[in-house]
Amino acid sequence: MDSRTVLVLLWMLLSSSTGIKLDGNGYVDVTIAISSRVPQDNTLIDKIKDMVTKGSIHLHQALDKKVYFKEAKILVPPHWNSKDFTKARAESYEKANIRIDNANPAYGDEPYTLQYDECGAEAQFIHFTPNFLRDDKLIKTYGSRGNVLVHEWAHLRWGVYDEYSETKPFYYSNGRIEATRCSKNIKGQFYDESRQPCQTDPQTLLPAKGCKFFPNKYQNTDSSIMFLPSLDSVSTFCRENEHNYEAPNLQNKKCGKATRTVIFEDSVDKDALRSLKPLLSSPPAPTFKVVQRMHRVVCLVLDVSGSMTGSRILRQQQAATHFLQTIIEDQASVGIVTFSDNANTLSPLTTIDSESTREKLIKLLPKVAAGGTYICKGLTLGLQVLKNDNGNVIGDEIIFLTDGEASDNINSCVPAAIESGAIIHTIALGNKADKALREMAEKTGGKFITASDDILSNQLLHGFSSLTIPTGDQTKDPVQIDSAGKKTSDWFNGTILVDKTIGTKTSFTITYETSLPDISIQSPSGSTYKQVQMRHDEAAKTVTFKVPGTAQPGDWKYSIQTTISQSLTITATSQAARADVPPIVVKAHMNQQFSDGTKPLIVFAEVSQNYKPVIKAEVWATLESESGSAQELQLLDNGAGADAFKDDGVYSRYFTQVKKGRSSLKVRVKNLDGQARFTIQKRGGAPYVPGYVVNGVVELNPPKPPVSEEPLEVGRFTRIVTGESFEVAFTGTTPPNFPPNRITDLSAEIQEDSVLLNWTAPGEDLDYGTAKSYEIRWSFDLKELRFNFSNAHVFNTSAVSPQEAGSVEQHSFIPNITIQNGTTVFFAVQSVDKVNVKSEISNIAQASKMLPGPKPTDMPGLDLKLMFIAISVCLATVVIIGIIAITTWALSRRKLSGS
C-alpha cells in the first residue's frame, strides 16, 4: 500500500463513522426508527422525545453524572406525510439502535433488547411497540419509560444482562430461599398472584410455580436498574460490593461480575467512562432531528478498466442485470456511471416505473473494458449524477465496484465523498481492489462486499442482491431462496423449494459462460416452462424466468443442458406471498468487520419470521477469502461455545481458520427434513412487576397482557444470504491460536453422595477440535471459585477424556466430604489445550442438597402473615385484659365510694 493510501485510511479511521458515539459526555448518532408497518401517528414522535429526554436524566444519575443523551435522530417511515421531516442521510431501519415496531409474539408490549454476543459486547437493537409508548397504564407495570430506556440501553450499549430470572425466580442459599435479584438489599415478600402464601414444590422444595416476589414499594437501596427499574428508589447499577453472585440470573451466567464492573471494565465505553469527569450541573436536554427516507436514488459506479476484461466484465454485467431486473424496487431512481481513464455517464437518474424501463437500463450496462483505474473520476461523476435530481446527494446511494488499486490520488476525493451525505456501498472484486473500499462503506453507512474470481460461487450476484435498504416491512423485501452452480458439458439439474411464506415476484436467474444452454423449469403441479417463455439477454449471457402471479409452493425442478463445457449458475428470489405475513428471513454477520487477530471472530446467522425464532434448522456458513479458498462451518444454536443462547434462532460459531486479507460471508439455511420449529421464547426485557408490598399489604399491578401462542410448525424452506465482508490482519504467517472456549452451560445436581455435572465440550482452539483435559473444582464459597479458582477443592479427572467440541459431557464425582442437608455447593470447570493453555473459568453452577422435612427457613410472605396474625392476637389480648382490668378497678371504686 503506498503512502497516500495509508494517509487516507488513517484519515478515515480518525473521522466519524456511523453508529453511536460519545461526544464529550453526551451520546450522539442514536437512531430511533419507526417501522413502515406502523400507521402514521405524529404523537409517537412526541412520546419518543419525552422518553429519551427523561431517560437522559436517569442515565446521568445512573453512571455518576458522567453521561447523558445529547442527540438523537428519529427515522419515520416513507409513507408518513409531513413537511417537517428532513431527508435521511445514513440512517436506516436496518441499522437503527432503537426500533418502534409491532409486537414480538413472545413479548407483547414488553420492551426488550436483542443481544446474542458475549458479555460486554454491543447488542443488536432495542424494541419498543407503539402501544408501549402510547399506553400510560403500562407505566405502572414496567416503570417510567425513561427508566425502562436506561435498563434497555445498558443491554444495547454495554452488553450487560438482566439480574432477575423468570425461569429461576428463587434459589437456595445455604438452606434459605432467596428471590433471584441484585442486590439482596431489595426487600420483599413471597405470595402467589391471589395474594396467598406460596405453596412449596415437593420436588425442588422451592416456592411452587405461580409464586412471585413482591418487592416492598419503598426501599433503602438505590440499586439495581437491571433488576427492577420500576422501583422509585432504584437509580443506579449494581456495584461490586453489593453484587449477588449466587443469583441464577443471566448477568451471573454470562458475565460473572457486577453490572457496573462490566460497564467500566469490559464495555465499548470503558476507556471513556474511566476518564470522563462528572458534569457539574444537570445535562442539557437532548436535541432531536426527525428524518425520512423516501424512494431510493442509486447510482451504479462500475469499473471498466483493463483488468476487468474477460469474465469479470461479464460477471459485473450479469450481477448488475440481476439487480436492475429483480432487486431494485419500483419507483426507485437509478443512474449508471463507468470509469477507467475517464468517467462516463451511461444513464442519468431514471425512475423504475415499468419493465421496459428496467430493460433500457440493462441494455446500457458496460460490455467492454480498457484503461486505468481512476477511482476519483468515477466517484466524482457518480456523486454529480446523484445531485442532478434535487441539488444534493444526502441519503442517496452509490454502488461502487472496482477490481484494482487506484491509479489516482484517492485522498483528493474520498474524504469529500464520505462527507457528502451519500451512502456508499462498495464491492471489491478480486484480491487487488483498493483497500479504501471497506472504510468508505463503513464511514457512510454502506455495505462492504467482496467477491472472488470463482464464477460458480456466484458471489458477485449475491453481493448485488444484498444491497437493499429495508424499512421494517419485510413483506416488501426480496428474499434469496437458493443458488447453485456447476461446471459441466452435460446436464445441470436440481430443485428449488418455494415455501408457503413466499411466492410473489418469484424469479429464476440463470447465467452461462459461453453459449446458451437448453433450459426447462417445472412447477410443483407439473407445468413446464421452456426457454421461449423466459427473457434472454445474450450480451449478459443471462436468462430470467419470472413466474406469473404467485408461485405455487413446493419443489420447482430445473433442467439445464449444455453441449460444451462451461460454468452455469441459477439463483432464485421471491417476496412474501401475502401482504400480512412476513416471510422467513435470515440475517448474517460477523462480530467484527475488521480483526487484528487478538479477538476471536464469530459468525452469526439469525433465522426468524416476524420476530419468531426458527430453531432446529440446518445452517451452514461459507467464508471465502479474496484468493478464492473457502471454508464451510456448520453454525449451531446449542447455547455453547460462540452461541450465547440455546434455541433462540441465532446460530453461531467461532471462525478460527482465518486467512489474511478480505473474506466474504455467505450463509445457507435449510429445513428439508421438517425438523425446524418456531419458538415463542422470551429471554429478558423490561421486568414486569406483579405488585408491591405497601405497609405490609400487597397492592397488585394491572395483569400482564397475554402474549399470542401461535402454531409452532415450520414448513420446508431454504434460504441463502450474503453478509457484509470482513478483513483480517495479524502478524506472522499463521492464524493466532486461541484457548478452548469458555464453558457457559455447566449445570450440577447432587444425587445422594455424588454430584452429576453436565456441560457442552469445548474445542482445542475455541470450539474447533478437542481439548486435552479438564480441571474441575468445587467450593462451599462461590467467590472462592470466582476469584481464587486454584485454591478450591479439586475433583480427580484423570479418567475423563474430553470429547469433540459440541459433544455432551456428563460425569459423576464424589466429593471427599459429606454434604449436609440444606447445603449449597458451587462448581466450575476449566479446559486445557495441548500446549497447556487454559480456558476462562466456566459459569459457576450451584446445587443444593435438600431432603424432605421441615419447610425451608425463609418464606417471607408466610412469615409476615403469621407475624401479623400473632401480633394481632397479642394486641387483642392486651386490649381485652386492659378493658377487664379497667372495668374491675372502676367497679371496685364504686363499691368503695358507696360504702
Side-chain angles (χ1 to χ4, degrees):
M1 187 184 297
D2 61 26
S3 59
R4 67 191 182 193
T5 304
V6 171
L7 284 173
V8 76
L9 292 187
L10 179 61
W11 183 92
M12 290 187 211
L13 289 170
L14 294 174
S15 68
S16 62
S17 62
T18 58
I20 301 166
K21 292 185 290 293
L22 265 173
D23 179 13
N25 294 75
Y27 283 107
V28 297
D29 287 347
V30 179
T31 302
I32 304 164
I34 302 173
S35 168
S36 59
R37 298 197 295 177
V38 177
Q40 181 158 359
D41 178 2
N42 287 1
T43 63
L44 274 179
I45 297 173
D46 296 330
K47 294 288 188 181
I48 291 168
K49 290 179 178 179
D50 182 67
M51 175 178 68
V52 176
T53 301
K54 291 176 178 173
S56 182
I57 296 170
H58 290 297
L59 183 64
H60 176 247
Q61 180 68 27
L63 273 191
D64 310 334
K65 301 183 179 181
K66 286 192 171 188
V67 290
Y68 66 99
F69 294 125
K70 185 175 183 179
E71 296 174 1
K73 296 169 187 172
I74 302 171
L75 177 68
V76 298
H79 68 270
W80 285 27
N81 294 315
S82 175
K83 294 180 180 178
D84 297 330
F85 306 149
T86 58
K87 192 175 180 183
R89 289 171 68 100
E91 301 84 17
S92 68
Y93 183 84
E94 186 179 36
K95 292 184 181 252
N97 320 114
I98 301 172
R99 297 183 181 181
I100 315 298
D101 195 9
N102 295 349
N104 180 321
Y107 289 83
D109 286 321
E110 183 170 305
Y112 71 94
T113 301
L114 180 64
Q115 56 184 145
Y116 48 70
D117 208 334
E118 61 190 5
C119 176
E122 289 185 271
Q124 306 307 302
F125 59 83
I126 299 171
H127 183 167
F128 293 111
T129 66
N131 196 48
F132 174 80
L133 293 170
R134 288 187 293 236
D135 189 354
D136 289 344
K137 293 193 294 293
L138 293 174
I139 294 174
K140 190 172 182 182
T141 306
Y142 295 104
S144 73
R145 295 187 186 101
N147 246 2
V148 170
L149 174 61
V150 174
H151 175 94
E152 299 306 329
W153 181 264
H155 288 307
L156 175 78
R157 183 63 177 173
W158 303 316
V160 299
Y161 286 86
D162 286 319
E163 294 165 349
Y164 68 94
S165 174
E166 291 193 349
T167 57
K168 294 182 178 179
F170 304 101
Y171 67 99
Y172 281 113
S173 178
N174 288 323
R176 292 178 61 84
I177 295 175
E178 294 283 358
T180 301
R181 66 201 191 281
C182 192
S183 72
K184 276 189 179 180
N185 294 331
I186 297 280
K187 305 299 181 185
Q189 308 297 332
F190 301 170
Y191 291 103
D192 63 26
E193 291 186 354
S194 61
R195 290 183 278 191
Q196 297 300 310
C198 292
Q199 301 297 312
T200 300
D201 186 309
Q203 299 297 320
T204 64
L205 299 183
L206 287 169
K209 185 177 180 182
C211 183
K212 305 287 185 184
F213 175 71
F214 288 81
N216 295 341
K217 179 69 173 175
Y218 307 106
Q219 302 280 345
N220 293 320
T221 181
D222 62 358
S223 69
S224 170
I225 290 171
M226 300 315 293
F227 174 57
L228 277 185
S230 58
L231 282 174
D232 292 339
S233 66
V234 166
S235 60
T236 189
F237 298 101
C238 199
R239 308 168 185 86
E240 196 67 41
N241 63 353
E242 62 187 357
H243 179 63
N244 180 8
Y245 281 93
E246 294 184 10
N249 53 32
L250 283 177
Q251 177 64 17
N252 278 329
K253 182 177 180 181
K254 295 296 178 186
C255 303
K257 58 181 78 170
T259 297
R260 267 185 67 98
T261 305
V262 174
I263 294 171
F264 280 86
E265 294 183 2
D266 302 322
S267 78
V268 67
D269 292 327
K270 60 186 178 183
D271 296 329
L273 289 172
R274 286 197 290 261
S275 60
L276 281 174
K277 297 282 190 285
L279 293 174
L280 298 177
S281 58
S282 297
T287 60
F288 298 93
K289 182 181 285 188
V290 182
V291 299
Q292 185 177 41
R293 183 171 300 285
M294 302 301 291
H295 67 274
R296 293 177 72 186
V297 179
V298 182
C299 185
L300 304 180
V301 181
L302 307 176
D303 188 347
V304 291
S305 62
S307 57
M308 288 289 293
T309 55
S311 67
R312 286 184 175 176
I313 194 75
L314 173 60
R315 288 167 55 223
Q316 176 178 261
Q317 188 181 0
Q318 291 172 337
T321 295
H322 180 65
F323 178 79
L324 294 170
Q325 185 75 35
T326 306
I327 303 302
I328 190 69
E329 54 268 62
D330 290 337
Q331 301 309 311
S333 296
V334 179
I336 303 173
V337 164
T338 60
F339 68 94
S340 57
D341 290 330
N342 290 297
N344 294 290
T345 301
L346 302 190
S347 172
L349 289 177
T350 304
T351 301
I352 305 290
D353 55 7
S354 65
E355 287 298 315
S356 62
T357 303
R358 294 179 187 270
E359 292 295 333
K360 288 176 185 176
L361 288 170
I362 289 168
K363 286 178 181 176
L364 293 172
L365 290 170
K367 304 170 183 63
V368 295
T373 309
Y374 286 83
I375 283 178
C376 281
K377 291 182 178 180
L379 197 55
T380 302
L381 184 56
L383 290 169
Q384 185 60 50
V385 167
L386 290 178
K387 192 180 291 185
N388 286 340
D389 64 340
N390 62 359
N392 68 66
V393 301
I394 292 173
D396 297 345
E397 300 168 67
I398 282 180
I399 297 176
F400 190 95
L401 182 147
T402 184
D403 74 336
E405 293 186 357
S407 301
D408 49 359
N409 181 8
I410 60 174
N411 196 34
S412 65
C413 66
V414 171
I418 290 173
E419 290 297 310
S420 70
I423 298 170
I424 305 176
H425 308 291
T426 57
I427 301 174
L429 178 56
N431 60 3
K432 301 217 186 284
D434 205 282
K435 302 295 184 183
L437 294 183
R438 180 178 62 82
E439 283 82 4
M440 192 156 59
E442 178 187 340
K443 297 298 180 288
T444 64
K447 296 178 180 178
F448 171 58
I449 305 295
T450 63
S452 73
D453 283 317
D454 180 4
I455 298 174
L456 295 179
S457 71
N458 233 347
Q459 284 181 326
L460 195 57
L461 190 143
H462 292 157
F464 269 88
S465 298
S466 70
L467 299 177
T468 60
I469 304 286
T471 63
D473 185 356
Q474 292 175 339
T475 63
K476 292 181 170 61
D477 296 333
V479 173
Q480 292 191 74
I481 311 172
D482 210 343
S483 179
K486 184 178 182 180
K487 187 174 180 91
T488 182
S489 58
D490 197 359
W491 287 96
F492 175 30
N493 299 327
T495 300
I496 288 177
L497 172 61
V498 175
D499 60 89
K500 291 184 288 187
T501 69
I502 54 175
T504 302
K505 297 184 179 180
T506 303
S507 69
F508 299 87
T509 300
I510 297 100
T511 68
Y512 59 93
E513 190 178 9
T514 308
S515 66
L516 178 66
D518 183 59
I519 303 168
S520 174
I521 295 177
Q522 187 180 84
S523 74
S525 63
S527 299
T528 301
Y529 299 90
K530 292 293 188 180
Q531 220 155 286
V532 292
Q533 297 162 283
M534 304 176 190
R535 172 194 172 278
H536 178 217
D537 185 332
E538 187 174 1
K541 294 182 171 56
T542 301
V543 178
T544 305
F545 171 55
K546 292 193 173 184
V547 178
T550 302
Q552 181 185 3
D555 290 332
W556 287 72
K557 298 177 182 177
Y558 59 88
S559 296
I560 305 173
Q561 185 184 27
T562 178
T563 55
I564 65 166
S565 178
Q566 63 177 328
S567 296
L568 305 170
T569 72
I570 184 167
T571 300
T573 62
S574 188
Q575 291 188 22
R578 291 170 46 185
D580 60 338
V581 180
I584 295 170
V585 295
V586 179
K587 297 176 183 176
H589 74 277
M590 306 296 295
N591 68 328
Q592 304 167 74
Q593 294 304 119
F594 178 80
S595 171
D596 61 2
T598 58
K599 180 182 176 185
L601 281 161
I602 304 176
V603 192
F604 293 109
E606 180 190 350
V607 189
S608 64
Q609 183 201 29
N610 195 27
Y611 293 113
K612 297 191 301 292
V614 176
I615 63 173
K616 313 298 184 189
E618 184 182 345
V619 182
W620 289 86
T622 301
L623 301 110
E624 187 170 335
S625 70
E626 58 192 356
S627 64
S629 62
Q631 181 181 354
E632 284 202 332
L633 282 177
Q634 183 171 13
L635 307 187
L636 304 174
D637 189 13
N638 62 352
D643 192 60
F645 298 99
K646 183 177 181 180
D647 289 342
D648 67 342
V650 178
Y651 300 75
S652 318
R653 200 73 182 270
Y654 287 111
F655 179 41
T656 57
Q657 307 300 304
V658 296
K659 305 274 187 194
K660 273 188 177 180
R662 297 175 296 205
S663 295
S664 66
L665 168 64
K666 180 174 69 177
V667 169
R668 186 185 300 272
V669 180
K670 303 177 188 176
N671 178 42
L672 300 179
D673 56 6
Q675 296 298 309
R677 293 287 181 270
F678 289 124
T679 178
I680 307 294
Q681 186 191 78
K682 181 177 178 298
R683 193 178 62 236
Y688 161 75
V689 183
Y692 301 99
V693 177
V694 182
N695 297 325
V697 178
V698 173
E699 294 183 356
L700 293 178
N701 279 336
K704 186 177 181 178
V707 296
S708 61
E709 294 290 341
E710 300 186 31
L712 300 181
E713 295 81 12
V714 177
R716 295 165 63 243
F717 74 92
T718 61
R719 292 289 185 274
I720 191 166
V721 66
T722 298
E724 289 192 52
S725 299
F726 59 99
E727 190 165 349
V728 178
F730 52 81
T731 57
T733 57
T734 58
N737 288 319
F738 292 100
N741 64 265
R742 176 178 180 256
I743 294 166
T744 58
D745 60 350
L746 178 67
S747 64
E749 180 185 351
I750 295 175
Q751 298 178 331
E752 296 183 355
D753 294 328
S754 66
V755 177
L756 181 65
L757 298 180
N758 286 274
W759 67 92
T760 302
E764 161 77 8
D765 194 10
L766 296 171
D767 61 0
Y768 182 82
T770 305
K772 185 183 78 171
S773 62
Y774 295 122
E775 184 176 336
I776 305 175
R777 293 183 179 270
W778 65 274
S779 176
F780 294 121
D781 181 1
L782 182 148
K783 289 188 177 181
E784 181 178 41
L785 281 177
R786 173 77 175 82
F787 297 107
N788 206 354
F789 181 77
S790 60
N791 280 3
H793 304 287
V794 64
F795 284 126
N796 183 352
T797 58
S798 58
V800 177
S801 295
Q803 300 182 67
E804 186 179 357
S807 304
V808 175
E809 297 274 24
Q810 186 176 79
H811 303 281
S812 288
F813 301 94
I814 300 176
N816 55 10
I817 64 168
T818 302
I819 300 174
Q820 301 296 321
N821 185 31
T823 299
T824 300
V825 191
F826 302 94
F827 307 89
V829 183
Q830 263 191 324
S831 314
V832 184
D833 68 10
K834 290 182 176 63
V835 291
N836 294 319
V837 177
K838 295 183 177 181
S839 70
E840 292 183 56
I841 299 168
S842 72
N843 66 296
I844 296 176
Q846 64 185 64
S848 298
K849 186 170 185 176
M850 300 301 298
L851 301 175
K855 289 189 176 181
T857 59
D858 192 85
M859 288 283 275
L862 183 61
D863 292 348
L864 182 68
K865 190 161 187 176
L866 290 175
M867 189 183 303
F868 179 78
I869 293 170
I871 291 171
S872 299
V873 170
C874 290
L875 287 173
T877 303
V878 169
V879 171
I880 292 168
I881 291 171
I883 292 171
I884 293 172
I886 292 169
T887 303
T888 304
W889 177 78
L891 289 173
S892 300
R893 290 289 303 261
R894 288 179 63 184
K895 285 180 182 180
L896 287 171
S897 62
S899 62

